[in-house]
């Protein structure tokens, strides 16, 4: 693969999503497997952003966010799930703002604020957790 070969990167990322989906469809699938699918969807979304396909990027990133919301809701005391959900909310909000969907961006930022506050209180020694 050549450097900056987005077409190949997109194809490989899509294959990663397909494999991750197959794993999550197994009866023995775990929360970590679901998280793996969310990561694969994030990578695909990032590549689609680089390709200039905001609509497809948002579709992948929103699907990842659905998974991360589920993981965070199932384990509200798991700081890792809460943090990854918060990151996903921020990314989707930023992409919404960049594509001039101000109401969607505002909704995602608003949904993220309570998570950020909880993470800041739970992680007083982590400087990035204190930023707003």
């Amino acid at each position: 693969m050549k450097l900056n070969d987005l077409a190949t990167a997109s194809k490989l990322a899509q294959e990663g999503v397909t494999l991750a989906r197959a794993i999550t469809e197994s009866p023995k699938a775990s929360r970590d497997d679901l998280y793996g699918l969310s990561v694969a969807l994030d990578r695909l979304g990032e590549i689609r952003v680089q390709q200039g396909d905001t609509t497809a990027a948002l579709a992948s990133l929103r699907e990842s966010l659905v998974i991360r919301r589920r993981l965070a809701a199932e384990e509200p005391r798991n700081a890792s799930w809460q943090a990854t959900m918060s990151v996903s909310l921020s990314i989707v909000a930023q992409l919404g703002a960049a594509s001039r969907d101000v109401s969607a961006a505002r909704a995602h930022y608003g949904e993220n604020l309570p998570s950020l506050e909880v993470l800041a209180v739970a992680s007083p020694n982590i400087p990035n957790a204190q930023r707003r």
Side-chain angles (χ1 to χ4, degrees):
M1 181 168 79
K2 296 178 185 176
L3 189 62
N4 295 323
D5 183 356
L6 291 177
T8 301
S10 180
K11 181 181 179 227
L12 293 172
Q14 185 59 59
E15 289 173 8
V17 168
T18 300
L19 289 171
R21 272 191 216 290
I23 292 168
T24 62
E25 291 170 0
S26 162
K28 295 181 181 181
S30 68
R31 287 185 176 113
D32 288 336
D33 295 328
L34 277 174
Y35 177 72
L37 174 57
S38 76
V39 170
L41 287 161
D42 280 354
R43 298 300 166 254
L44 181 58
E46 291 167 7
I47 291 166
R48 288 174 169 169
V49 166
Q50 292 176 16
Q51 290 175 315
D53 190 349
T54 305
T55 302
L58 275 169
S60 294
L61 295 167
R62 284 179 179 144
E63 186 177 351
S64 174
L65 177 57
V66 167
I67 293 167
R68 290 177 178 188
R69 279 179 176 141
R70 174 181 161 190
L71 292 170
E74 288 177 357
E75 290 187 51
R77 294 187 184 269
N78 184 320
S80 293
W81 294 148
Q82 301 303 318
T84 57
M85 180 189 69
S86 177
V87 169
S88 287
L89 282 164
S90 291
I91 291 169
V92 171
Q94 289 169 7
L95 198 51
S99 61
R100 302 188 192 282
D101 188 350
V102 177
S103 74
R106 185 178 297 129
H108 287 100
Y109 282 130
E111 180 183 350
N112 197 22
L113 186 58
S115 296
L116 292 172
E117 290 170 342
V118 167
L119 289 168
V121 169
S123 307
N125 298 322
I126 300 174
N128 284 343
Q130 304 306 312
R131 293 186 324 172
R132 286 199 218 206

